C-alpha cells in the first residue's frame, strides 16, 4: 500500500498533535546529548501535563468504548 504525502499529513493532523509535538521535543533533546536524567524528568512532566488534557480524556473514553478516538489538539 502506497502512502501519499497528503494522506500521511492528514493522518498525522488527525492524531494527538500536542503529544506529537512533545515527543519531537524530547527526541530532539536526547539526540542533542541532553543528560538522561534531565530528559526522563522532562518526560515525566510531559506525561503529567498531557494526561490532564481533553484529548487524553477523550482518548481513554474512546478506548474503553472501543471506538476510534478524535483529537482536537487540547
Amino acid at each position: 500500500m502506497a502512502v501519499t504525502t497528503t494522506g500521511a499529513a492528514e493522518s498525522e493532523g488527525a492524531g494527538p498533535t500536542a503529544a506529537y509535538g512533545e515527543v519531537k521535543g524530547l527526541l530532539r533533546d536526547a539526540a542533542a546529548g541532553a543528560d538522561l536524567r534531565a530528559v526522563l524528568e522532562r518526560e515525566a512532566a510531559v506525561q503529567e501535563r498531557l494526561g490532564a488534557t481533553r484529548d487524553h480524556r477523550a482518548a481513554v473514553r474512546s478506548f474503553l468504548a472501543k471506538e476510534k478516538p478524535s483529537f482536537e489538539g487540547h
Side-chain angles (χ1 to χ4, degrees), residues 17-58:
T17 55
Y20 292 158
E22 294 285 3
V23 168
K24 280 179 66 174
L26 291 167
L27 289 172
R28 190 171 33 251
D29 290 351
D35 176 64
L36 178 61
R37 181 175 297 236
V39 173
L40 293 176
E41 287 173 0
R42 181 167 173 235
E43 180 183 4
V46 164
Q47 290 291 336
E48 185 173 344
R49 186 171 52 252
L50 290 174
T53 64
R54 284 186 285 172
D55 272 356
H56 176 72
R57 288 188 299 275

